[in-house]
Amino acid sequence: MEWETVIGLEIHAQLATRSKIFSGASTAYGADPNTQACNVDLGLPGVLPVLNREAVVMAGRFGLAIGAGVERRSVFARKNYFYPDLPKGYQISQYELPIVGRGQVTIDLEDDGTKVIGVTRAHLEEDAGKSLHEDFHGMSGIDLNRAGTPLLEIVSEPDMRSPKEAIAYMRKIHTLVRYLGICDGNMQEGSFRCDANVSVRPKGQAAFGTRAELKNLNSFRFVERALRFEVERQIDLLEGGGKVLQETRLYDPERGETRPMRGKEEANDYRYFPDPDLLPVEIDDDFVAALETSLPELPDAKRQRFMEQYGLGRYDASLLTANRATADYYEALLAAGGGDPKLAANWVAGDLSGALNRDGIDIAQSPVDAGLLGGLLARIADNTISGKIAKQVFEAMWRGEGDADAIIEARGLKQITDSGAIEKIVDDVIANNPGQVEQFRAGKEKLMGFFVGQVMKATQGKANPKQVNELLRKRLS
Ligand code: ADP
Ligand code: MG
């Protein structure tokens, strides 16, 4: 029997506000436990939540970016459950009336195709605190710094048909929220995490199978591994005559498997009701109009523009627009004399990205900024140096040895374009290698590489490769 996988994701994006969603406490990461939890976050009696306007702005930006718009009226609701990291005994969330309704995003498939994934809704809610198990023997500590941190929960339709598609969707949302400047996307710090719902069904069957929910996956790799494992598990179970239980499961990265955490609760277990402490959020046209004008160019549009304006292929354009900082760098590079857009794209995706990855540096902090790299590419374009020598110069710039011209000068790397000088070396090489010359003339064309190599060696790589080739051909024929 052939099986089809069905996946829907609930992504939690932590909104990049400076203070919490219902209090003035700081959202900065990494503070000592319980130093950033005020009376509201602690759920003390007699205090009232006040909605952070910026969280509404950020959710609205997201709604516009996925074509959903912003709902004119949304309502906060209490989602009731008991857990030690939830001091009020309920989480403030949105239920029947979320701030963002139905929208969509387009993902890229591996075979170069695209697919539209539906977004069911996105709603605002507060995060819970965190239990600390490591430092306390036989007890747990509770850190409420995270309590009240604003989250946007983005719920997808069950539209994905493989773990790969799920990852592509998750990456797309990740790119989008960072473009919008509404989430820093830092997965290690938990700013971007997801619950994955997955089921399988016989291919061709219309009804969905029973799903399992995989909780709190905080890396792309874990999401993919957890989904793969879970799909296999469900298929094995069904083929062995068993049944999939609707339950919440945890992924254990060390063992690479999922295991049951609890039976899946139903919405009515939470006894949702509108929070009487908060007014409905009402949004007018002016508010939406202001949001619309403040939207940046979005990833899909930027990629399309890069393809049209710079003649790049889809692959290069995707790489360069995967985040705003890279796209900005690329355009600054072109403006700084980076010359041919394709050459500039190769340098950003190649040597620059390689060096940034190697040293763990963000492109915005690159020691070789767009101006410096532009200066280097200009020297390739005007034939002062070859592409190969340019790699040396780049490494020297990376180490802070100055700009391209200074390094070329100091190290005497200037390309030899004087054809008289090259001719002389070519003649020497031909004179010194009579055997190879004979073979070449007898038809062993491959030896061209050998001759070029000899000339380059004699000039420490500084001869203009094009001229060397031309002269060698002339002399050898
Ligand atoms: P809950 O209220 O239990 O969280 P929802 O109906 O809100 O359930 O769905 C949560 C997520 O599960 C959504 O992303 C949805 O697309 C996905 N989902 C729903 N049914 C299935 C299914 N049978 N298989 C896979 N994913 C599903
Ligand atoms: Mg849910």
Side-chain angles (χ1 to χ4, degrees), residues 188-263:
Q188 277 98 45
E189 293 178 4
S191 302
F192 189 87
R193 50 194 203 259
C194 114
D195 302 338
N197 294 269
V198 53
S199 63
V200 298
R201 64 180 169 187
K203 213 168 186 130
Q205 177 184 303
F208 289 142
T210 304
R211 72 183 140 130
E213 183 181 27
L214 312 179
K215 270 281 173 205
N216 259 333
L217 300 162
N218 64 355
S219 85
F220 291 111
R221 201 184 314 141
F222 288 171
V223 174
E224 187 164 355
R225 285 188 191 159
L227 283 170
R228 279 190 198 296
F229 176 89
E230 184 59 19
V231 168
E232 284 304 310
R233 188 189 70 85
Q234 290 185 14
I235 291 174
D236 285 350
L237 196 61
L238 292 168
E239 287 185 342
K243 262 192 168 162
V244 174
L245 295 179
Q246 179 156 334
E247 63 186 357
T248 300
R249 298 177 70 87
L250 269 188
Y251 177 65
D252 177 344
E254 259 149 49
R255 294 171 161 218
E257 62 181 33
T258 66
R259 54 169 181 269
M261 180 168 130
R262 57 173 190 250

Side-chain angles (χ1 to χ4, degrees), residues 309-468:
Q309 189 173 343
Y310 304 129
L312 299 175
R314 196 178 174 80
Y315 180 78
D316 281 337
S318 294
L319 277 181
L320 294 173
T321 56
N323 60 69
R324 245 163 101 178
T326 303
D328 289 349
Y329 186 102
Y330 177 71
E331 296 207 284
L333 175 58
L334 292 180
D340 172 45
K342 177 69 189 161
L343 178 73
N346 288 344
W347 272 85
V348 172
D351 291 76
L352 178 71
S353 292
L356 292 169
N357 284 339
R358 182 190 63 205
D359 294 353
I361 299 174
D362 279 347
I363 194 162
Q365 269 78 53
S366 173
V368 177
D369 64 20
L372 276 177
L373 187 56
L376 176 63
L377 300 197
R379 292 298 155 264
I380 303 175
D382 70 8
N383 276 322
T384 305
I385 52 170
S386 66
K388 204 161 168 196
I389 293 284
K391 289 176 186 290
Q392 265 184 54
V393 179
F394 176 80
E395 282 305 323
M397 289 201 302
W398 188 265
R399 289 190 298 268
E401 292 178 26
D403 67 14
D405 288 337
I407 293 163
I408 293 167
E409 185 64 40
R411 299 190 173 195
L413 293 174
K414 218 168 171 161
Q415 185 160 247
I416 304 169
T417 49
D418 167 2
S419 43
I422 299 177
E423 240 167 54
K424 183 166 177 322
I425 297 161
V426 165
D427 289 342
D428 287 349
V429 166
I430 289 176
N432 294 337
N433 298 283
Q436 280 86 348
V437 172
E438 201 175 306
Q439 287 175 38
F440 181 85
R441 288 188 171 141
K444 203 166 170 197
E445 280 275 334
K446 271 202 324 229
L447 281 170
M448 194 63 190
F450 163 78
F451 292 116
V452 173
Q454 292 297 308
V455 176
M456 285 304 185
K457 202 165 141 195
T459 59
Q460 284 111 42
K462 288 186 290 189
N464 177 298
K466 193 158 156 260
Q467 280 176 305
V468 171

Side-chain angles (χ1 to χ4, degrees), residues 10 79 153 155 197 211 213 264:
E10 295 163 281
K79 179 179 181 179
E153 176 169 340
V155 183
N197 294 269
R211 72 183 140 130
E213 183 181 27
K264 171 78 185 153

Side-chain angles (χ1 to χ4, degrees), residues 59-69 100-106 117-122 152 154-155 169 172-173 176-177 180 295 298:
R61 288 163 80 85
F62 182 78
L64 292 175
I66 61 164
V100 174
R102 181 150 182 131
Q104 59 182 54
V105 297
T106 304
I117 305 291
V119 174
T120 316
R121 59 185 278 162
L152 188 65
I154 304 158
V155 183
Y169 166 79
K172 189 74 186 219
I173 298 287
L176 200 54
V177 294
L180 293 168
L295 277 193
L298 296 177

Side-chain angles (χ1 to χ4, degrees), residues 252-300:
D252 177 344
E254 259 149 49
R255 294 171 161 218
E257 62 181 33
T258 66
R259 54 169 181 269
M261 180 168 130
R262 57 173 190 250
K264 171 78 185 153
E265 52 297 282
E266 300 290 332
N268 60 16
D269 293 331
Y270 288 120
R271 294 291 186 265
Y272 279 100
F273 64 87
D275 192 320
D277 287 346
L278 287 155
L279 291 168
V281 182
E282 298 204 337
I283 284 171
D284 60 21
D285 292 345
D286 289 349
F287 185 89
V288 177
L291 284 186
E292 262 161 4
T293 51
S294 76
L295 277 193
E297 183 180 30
L298 296 177
D300 288 351

